[in-house]
Amino acid sequence: MPPQLQSQKQSGPRILQGDLSALSPAVREFVDVNVTLCQPDSIHICDGSDEENRAILTQLEEQGMIKKLNKYENCWLARTDPRDVARVESKTVIVTQDQRDTVPTPVGGGVSQLGRWMSQDEFDKAMGQRFPGCMKGRTMYVIPFSMGPVGSPLSKIGVELTDSPYVVVSMRVMTRMGTAVLSALGTGEFVRCLHSVGCPLPLKKPLVNNWPCNPDQTLIAHIPDRRQIVSFGSGYGGNSLLGKKCFALRIASRIAKEEGWLAEHMLILGITNPAGEKKYMAAAFPSACGKTNLAMLCPTLPGWKVECVGDDIAWMKFDKQGNLRAINPENGFFGVAPGTSAKTNPNAMATIVKNTVFTNVAETSDGGVYWEGMDQALPEGVSITSWKNKPWSSQDGEPCAHPNSRFCTPADQCPIIDPQWESPEGVPIEAIIFGGRRPEGVPLVYEAFSWQHGVFVGAAMRSEATAAAEHKGKVIMNDPFAMRPFFGYNFGQYLSHWLSMADRPGAKLPKIFHVNWFRKSPTAGFLWPGFGDNIRVLDWMFRRVNGVAGAMPSAVGYLPCSESLNLQGLQQDVDLDELFSLDQEFWQREVEEVRKYFTTQVNDDLPNEVARQLELLQQRVKQM
């Protein structure tokens, strides 16, 4: 049963756990102000302990919000209200004094695709309509959390106030959370995060799947000047686990701009060659481009080893020696389940068999999970219940798991987690990889001519996506730096910030590459086998960083010389000519598409150097 209102009158909320007087004055004030605003029944200050976690999981199970999955150790399934299943870009805003601080002004005053701005007045009004009394009858959980290893010079601390126990158990996986963080914080600065599902008790209407949410009123707002995040109406991870995209990208990118570092939507991997030499690389891909698969790659080349530092977010800062050092600010993986299988990502499959919260996947009658692309035959007699909590068969014509269903799992359970993944000083990044899903025209790999050219390559990133509204087939979408939904400030200024890294005295700038695993032949499907064979491309990059692999200049960048990709033992024939061919007409169109995007969306905020790189590309394409 969902919790119902307890009738006794009280003066102020009960303290269920923790000591308000032990909080720093700033944290105490943050709690007090929002207790007055939201009017919770009780307060629970999270300590992050195993006992607390077990108690909250039991409570969630009793309320019918999660179900134990008996096939695995300490694994749980949540089914959400079908109206609360993903990030809601249309209701995700940045609040600044001036609109141009948040987004460039599109040509002709159209709608920006690079973020949504809200004025301070509009935000104050939205807060006043939503938050007063929103936690009545519920517990306010106080979650102190660290993005990055506790005490690392690269880490930042936040405090999230939430009325969702699901958020508490998920934040314990995704961040370092609890008493140790309050000790590390002392009287220091923190990001203020406020979240409510927007369902005060008693309920006005019954819940769907015992999942409290208020989709009509959903709002996710970021106030960078105040280091504040406010989220209302959604319990879904990307909207409610405020350490994730909200803090680690939107707010952190703005802090990074002010402090001279980078907060990016990038995986981090360690790669060791057969001679035992190791390098670290970071890579940015839009969704559905195999980011987690690359972060946990199983190499097909003998003697190579890949280890995972992080699969989603990288915070990177130059150290005194000029090395770009990166940490993964997260503590877990919040991965898309469909498409994850023993073939595509055996390491992820091995990670999620214990201590994992699954959301909106299908359930098997023997207490396991199931989703599209899992590629596992079910034992005889085992049936499937869909994410909608209905019996399911493959003839139903709809997926058993929601396409955005998730696993929330501890990173340290990954069999190939890098030994340095929690290193306080971070790992040294020697290569940055951009990529997208491009069925035609874009070669398997190329290297940027310079840092400035590499920034242009990131800015011009495009990737195939389904047109979500009408499903009229595939469209190529601009997704610069794979950050389009996550910029915390004006994209033009973001590009200037990236360019400024080249002016840092003594900076050892990583090489920048672009990859495309998804080029197709007109007749025979994908030209490149991908997955574990992507090590062959990483091997070439590794040798390029060492200055030993052959490369030849082309219109788009340096391409591998013939024979410089190691294709030994490749299971399928690969047509390298087709994989690396450059079609002049295609690239002329590409130049025009990128120019159109820059002109309409970035407008006057486009740095001159990025415009110059586009002109240089156009000239090279002309000479093809």
Side-chain angles (χ1 to χ4, degrees), residues 271-274 297-306 532-540 543 565-570:
I271 175 170
T272 307
N273 72 6
L297 186 90
C298 287
T300 54
L301 281 179
W304 284 85
K305 182 162 76 170
V306 167
D533 284 314
N534 292 338
I535 188 65
R536 301 167 190 278
V537 175
L538 298 182
D539 160 39
W540 180 74
R543 287 180 288 123
L565 270 188
N566 181 353
L567 302 181
Q568 278 175 322
L570 197 59

Side-chain angles (χ1 to χ4, degrees), residues 254-290:
R254 167 69 188 269
I255 297 174
K257 173 180 172 261
E258 292 170 19
E259 296 182 354
W261 49 281
L262 300 166
E264 299 300 328
H265 190 204
M266 291 182 179
L267 65 90
I268 308 167
L269 59 82
I271 175 170
T272 307
N273 72 6
E277 184 190 355
K278 185 168 188 177
K279 296 188 185 300
Y280 289 94
M281 302 180 177
F285 299 123
S287 58
C289 291

Side-chain angles (χ1 to χ4, degrees), residues 5-21:
L5 187 59
Q6 295 177 342
S7 60
Q8 71 250 40
K9 288 265 184 234
Q10 298 155 352
S11 61
R14 287 171 298 142
I15 309 298
L16 301 181
Q17 178 176 296
D19 178 1
L20 282 174
S21 64

